[in-house]
Amino acid sequence: MRTQVGIIGAGPAGLLLSRLLQLQGIDTVVLENRSRGYVEARIRAGILEQHTVDTLRAAGVGARLDREGMQHGGIHLQYPGTRHTFDFPELCGRTVWIYGQSEVVKDLIAAQLEDGPPLLFEVSDVRPVDVDTDHPRIHFTDAEGNAQVLECDAVAGTDGFHGVSRPLVTAGTGGRVWERTYPYAWLGILADVAPSTDELIYAWHPDGFAMHSMRSPSVSRLYLQVRPDEEIEDWPDDRIWEALATRMALPGWTLETGPVTEKSVLPMRSFVSTPMRYGRLFLAGDAAHIVPPTGAKGLNLAVADVTLLATALVRLLAEQRTDLVDSYSDRALARVWRCTHFSWWMTSMLHRSGDDFDAQLQLSQLRRVCSSEAAARELAENYTGLPLE
Ligand code: APR
Ligand code: PHB
């Protein structure tokens, strides 16, 4: 088999990269080791930045997002006694959309299977080789069990945090990993109940962080700060609703409850692997970096990476010019570190850990961001997503 760009992993990063390259006349093959059903069912975050929405629309996969996505002009930031609303259009002229990542993935897969390049599910033993030459190849076993070789001009490692691409880049370049593990986790639930709020609520509370998000006018998504080693069995639904109601309490406001349809504990970590390129192997998305979910940046950062990467690969393959692939890693990492800082900052401001001194600093920061227009604008610009270069 032969293609121009071999793409490993059919998450949002790999699927969107394939689509963007197709629109520029570049051939790709996408290799995914899971099944279509598994990939489409994975529950992830649900906030799309302005540039992500613009990119999906321009790629021709924005129709259902425009029908079913919920455009939001702000968030509520809360600490005991105060619930402050940020007005994003007023602060920075941009908004965000609520649309589940699994819906983005379904839309991209449907487009790819309808008129896109090959997308192979349930492959195994994926192994990129000779990535430090101009003729890299990907060895893999197809779903029928046949050994295959895919010859390429370039390889995209969009295979997520547990993929095979990052170790090759690290080994080949003597690269470096930057990491922070937070001493808490999120317990997340999906519930069949109308959201009790117009905008998302991010709440600081002495018992720990709580958050109210949503997926549709009839489905709510809520999170609680818990210990990283928390057993989900210790959290029957009643205890979850009680903790959520306590941590988000405000006079005159009630949290409506409903049947819980999904519940899980999510670890919180920051992780950056540098550089994002070795020869003709390019990393994008979770393969290169992870942010804690507080800033809602994971998916948006993956989209920003592949937008840069697509332009760089078109320049390389259609014009034989290497300038943009040479600068890809540095340019992508500039945004990665900005989002890493913002996610760390939101996380550190909102989660209880440390002592009472730390709590006073958090409350001081919250009061500042809720009272100074300059501080609020800084939050709004980062939350809605800085423009792509
Ligand atoms: N071979 C083929 N596919 C692989 C391999 C492999 N060896 N290892 C992993 N994959 C696949 C995974 O099954 C997954 O479908 O690569 C895909 C990676 O997708 P994601 O983990 O979704 O990562 P990415 O596309 O970078 O999406 C960015 O945004 O909200 C965040 O973390 C969230 O996944 C999300 C991310
Ligand atoms: C979600 O809806 O899952 C969500 C929203 C905002 C966040 C994190 C998660 O910051």
Side-chain angles (χ1 to χ4, degrees):
M1 294 172 76
R2 176 158 175 92
T3 190
Q4 287 177 289
V5 181
I7 299 179
I8 307 174
L15 291 166
L16 180 61
L17 179 64
S18 174
R19 179 86 189 165
L20 294 175
L21 290 173
Q22 179 196 352
L23 295 173
Q24 300 285 329
I26 303 286
D27 291 334
T28 64
V29 171
V30 182
L31 304 175
E32 165 61 49
N33 61 2
R34 301 285 189 161
S35 68
R36 178 181 182 183
Y38 181 94
V39 170
E40 291 187 342
R42 249 181 329 220
I43 297 180
R44 296 270 175 80
I47 297 280
L48 308 185
E49 293 175 357
Q50 181 85 53
H51 80 80
T52 298
V53 171
D54 295 344
T55 304
L56 293 171
R57 283 178 179 155
V61 286
R64 195 160 69 94
L65 161 64
D66 281 330
R67 282 199 310 277
E68 298 174 19
M70 299 184 281
Q71 187 172 11
H72 277 235
I75 57 168
H76 301 297
L77 208 56
Q78 174 169 341
Y79 48 95
T82 300
R83 182 176 290 175
H84 179 79
T85 307
F86 287 73
D87 183 336
F88 291 154
E90 193 180 293
L91 287 163
C92 66
R94 296 195 291 276
T95 61
V96 294
W97 276 255
I98 298 189
Y99 190 65
Q101 179 175 321
S102 45
E103 306 311 311
V104 174
V105 166
K106 281 181 207 162
D107 295 345
L108 285 165
I109 289 178
Q112 182 112 5
L113 295 179
E114 189 182 304
D115 66 353
L119 164 54
L120 280 55
F121 288 105
E122 295 178 74
V123 306
S124 51
D125 307 323
V126 175
R127 204 161 45 86
V129 296
D130 294 341
V131 297
D132 56 341
T133 73
D134 289 350
H135 304 287
R137 281 166 293 133
I138 307 175
H139 293 261
F140 67 98
T141 304
D142 67 23
E144 286 72 46
N146 305 309
Q148 301 279 3
V149 180
L150 177 63
E151 296 180 4
C152 323
D153 297 320
V155 175
T158 51
D159 44 356
F161 190 65
H162 302 288
V164 294
S165 301
R166 187 179 62 252
L168 289 176
V169 174
T170 307
T173 60
R176 185 167 172 189
V177 161
W178 318 74
E179 208 167 358
R180 168 79 34 105
T181 304
Y182 300 90
Y184 33 76
W186 277 13
L187 192 167
I189 63 165
L190 265 182
D192 284 335
V193 59
S196 304
T197 180
D198 51 351
E199 302 292 8
L200 270 54
I201 302 170
Y202 290 80
W204 183 99
H205 188 273
D207 294 354
F209 172 71
M211 172 171 179
H212 193 327
S213 182
M214 58 195 80
R215 284 291 176 275
S216 74
S218 58
V219 175
S220 296
R221 176 92 170 131
L222 299 113
Y223 299 99
L224 278 176
Q225 177 186 345
V226 295
R227 293 193 327 269
D229 58 353
E230 199 80 47
E231 300 285 349
I232 196 92
E233 295 74 35
D234 293 339
W235 285 89
D237 297 355
D238 287 352
R239 182 178 175 206
I240 294 174
W241 286 117
E242 219 176 278
L244 287 166
T246 302
R247 296 184 193 185
M248 287 191 280
L250 196 75
W253 180 81
T254 315
L255 177 66
E256 302 298 338
T257 65
V260 173
T261 56
E262 199 268 346
K263 105 175 122 166
S264 55
V265 175
L266 323 166
M268 309 271 283
R269 71 146 73 85
S270 295
F271 177 94
V272 181
S273 177
T274 65
M276 288 170 62
R277 171 205 186 181
Y278 171 45
R280 289 201 169 204
L281 171 59
F282 300 87
L283 301 180
D286 276 18
H289 42 74
I290 301 275
V291 288
T294 326
K297 287 285 164 251
L299 170 63
N300 296 294
L301 208 42
V303 169
D305 284 353
V306 298
T307 305
L308 272 186
L309 183 54
T311 310
L313 289 172
V314 169
R315 178 98 111 200
L316 176 72
L317 301 175
E319 299 175 37
Q320 281 74 51
R321 290 181 57 189
T322 57
D323 55 338
L324 295 185
V325 288
D326 288 344
S327 61
Y328 166 70
S329 178
D330 286 347
R331 286 181 300 136
L333 284 166
R335 190 182 188 91
V336 168
W337 278 114
R338 174 90 297 280
C339 293
T340 298
H341 176 269
F342 177 68
S343 306
W344 164 85
W345 176 76
M346 285 281 280
T347 301
S348 309
M349 175 171 68
L350 286 163
H351 292 76
R352 283 291 282 122
S353 78
D355 56 18
D356 291 347
F357 182 82
D358 292 295
Q360 291 304 323
L361 293 182
Q362 291 178 314
L363 288 167
S364 172
Q365 177 72 80
L366 282 161
R367 283 193 295 268
R368 172 76 187 157
V369 85
C370 295
S371 62
S372 150
E373 191 176 319
R377 178 165 298 126
E378 176 64 8
L379 184 152
E381 286 186 357
N382 281 280
Y383 191 94
T384 58
L386 297 168
L388 289 178
E389 60 175 76

